[in-house]
Amino acid sequence: NFISLEQGEQITSILAMPKEKKAAEGLSLVMATKDGTVKKTAADKFREVRRSGLIAITLDKGDSLISAQFVYRGDNVVLVTAKGQSIRFDEKDVREMGRQAAGVRGIKLGSGDSVVGSGVVPKGAKDAQLLVLSSTGYGKKTKLSEYKCQGRGGSGIKTMSITAKTKQLVGGAVILGGGELVAMSKKSQTIRTGLDEISTLSRATQGVRVMKMREGDSVASFVIFEAEE
């Protein structure tokens, strides 16, 4: 046991903390919740973690943490919603808060929508793309140059055309180069495909079939393995 979990609680993210203090300078942890809240806390606040764990964020009733990622000064944060909206904003738009704070609004959600993924665009990154995947196995990559940097808290812009064929998005991830995608369905079907085999398309398209689903099945989640430089 690394951490004691309450009933119904599950792990959201596993991150590697830099050992060297110099590497951790200007490093913060950015968290995003299902209901569109974001929070930034200095990474140093998590350097010493008790056996019983530490409070990282105070959640509103019914909300849940969906991602936690490290950011450096000057990075951008991207949020993706189930109904195909996305928003890109500068990390400095979110002030640093203590561990027990609840955070601020990252994206304004429409009725019945929720945040399903987030990513970090490193400062000065070139050729970065946003990859999205739907519950029926449709997905695509889109150049992040198509996503202007906005202030946090807005409704965002369309990142995928949601249709009866695509259904809703299950996640989104920022990719910086080559690598692989591994996706798993709710009925344990798994695929592994190269990122270069997934089409690069504009924001308002519905994407192409990345994973063929059997009847009654749907994509549960996916993970990206970026190629080592």
Side-chain angles (χ1 to χ4, degrees):
N1 260 359
F2 283 102
I3 185 169
S4 299
L5 297 178
E6 294 180 11
Q7 189 173 357
E9 193 175 10
Q10 62 185 27
I11 303 295
T12 294
S13 300
I14 299 173
L15 303 170
M17 175 78 84
K19 275 188 176 181
E20 296 177 18
K21 188 137 184 141
K22 190 173 181 182
E25 284 179 11
L27 189 68
S28 300
L29 184 68
V30 167
M31 292 160 271
T33 78
K34 174 177 67 73
D35 289 345
T37 295
V38 291
K39 180 187 171 185
K40 185 173 73 175
T41 301
D44 275 352
K45 303 281 188 192
F46 301 96
R47 192 164 286 282
E48 301 295 332
V49 180
R50 296 189 297 267
R51 183 81 180 172
S52 58
L54 297 172
I55 292 173
I57 184 173
T58 298
L59 294 168
D60 291 335
K61 189 175 181 180
D63 202 0
S64 57
L65 187 66
I66 61 115
S67 80
Q69 295 168 290
F70 285 132
V71 294
Y72 284 97
R73 293 189 189 106
D75 290 349
N76 286 175
V77 177
V78 178
L79 302 180
V80 175
T81 79
K83 292 190 175 181
Q85 290 293 107
S86 66
I87 193 167
R88 176 181 182 178
F89 54 86
D90 197 307
E91 58 81 24
K92 70 173 181 280
D93 285 354
V94 184
R95 64 179 177 83
E96 283 198 346
M97 305 173 196
R99 288 189 299 98
Q100 300 202 29
V104 293
R105 177 180 286 176
I107 186 170
K108 186 178 180 181
L109 296 171
S111 177
D113 205 0
S114 62
V115 175
V116 293
S118 74
V120 172
V121 187
K123 182 181 179 181
K126 295 179 180 178
D127 304 322
Q129 294 182 301
L130 180 64
L131 183 148
V132 292
L133 188 64
S134 80
S135 63
T136 56
Y138 281 78
K140 63 174 177 174
K141 298 177 298 189
T142 302
K143 292 179 180 178
L144 268 158
S145 56
E146 291 194 32
Y147 300 82
K148 64 180 180 180
C149 206
Q150 304 172 256
R152 65 160 183 84
S155 301
I157 56 177
K158 184 177 285 190
T159 191
M160 186 165 176
S161 179
I162 300 300
T163 66
K165 190 186 289 185
T166 65
K167 300 283 179 72
Q168 295 193 338
L169 294 182
V170 296
V174 172
I175 56 175
L176 304 174
E180 294 182 324
L181 173 143
V182 175
M184 181 171 282
S185 77
K186 289 183 177 178
K187 293 186 177 179
S188 301
Q189 181 185 356
T190 304
I191 64 146
R192 176 179 173 181
T193 185
L195 294 177
D196 56 357
E197 294 177 35
I198 300 172
S199 300
T200 297
L201 302 167
S202 61
R203 285 192 300 103
T205 57
Q206 70 171 11
V208 295
R209 191 183 293 279
V210 175
M211 183 176 186
K212 190 172 183 180
M213 309 305 303
R214 298 190 180 102
E215 190 174 348
D217 202 1
S218 60
V219 177
S221 64
F222 70 88
V223 65
I224 300 295
F225 296 96
E226 298 232 29
E228 293 183 15
E229 294 182 358

